[in-house]
Amino acid sequence: RLAEVKASGVLGKAFDKFRGANHPKTILTDEKVLQIRSLSAEGVGNRILAKQFGVHHSNISAIVLRKSWKHVK
């Protein structure tokens, strides 16, 4: 549903304004996301990364699988 609303242009720039590190309640930065992906590729587990970066292990999984923070290459 959100994809449909975004595609219609209703949210437009207001949605993108708070993406990733621009969101006021974010814990991570683009640089930290890149670190997470790099460390995960080296074999560091999601739960260890979660403790290190102060987020839940499901967030780490979503970052590594590029389900979240997709805009960070």
Side-chain angles (χ1 to χ4, degrees):
R1 173 82 181 120
L2 181 59
E4 294 170 5
V5 173
K6 188 175 179 186
S8 71
V10 172
L11 294 177
K13 293 184 180 182
F15 179 79
D16 290 333
K17 179 177 163 183
F18 292 114
R19 175 181 246 177
N22 292 331
H23 193 279
K25 293 187 177 183
T26 191
I27 295 173
L28 300 173
T29 63
D30 292 356
E31 292 79 22
K32 288 182 180 179
V33 169
L34 292 173
Q35 283 182 319
I36 288 168
R37 288 181 179 153
S38 175
L39 291 169
S40 179
E42 292 175 12
V44 180
N46 288 355
R47 290 181 188 269
I48 293 170
L49 291 171
K51 285 182 182 179
Q52 181 178 343
F53 288 93
V55 296
H56 194 268
H57 65 88
S58 63
N59 295 105
I60 299 295
S61 177
I63 290 168
V64 171
L65 296 174
R66 297 183 188 273
K67 292 184 178 182
S68 64
W69 292 82
K70 296 175 187 179
H71 63 283
V72 178
K73 306 287 181 189

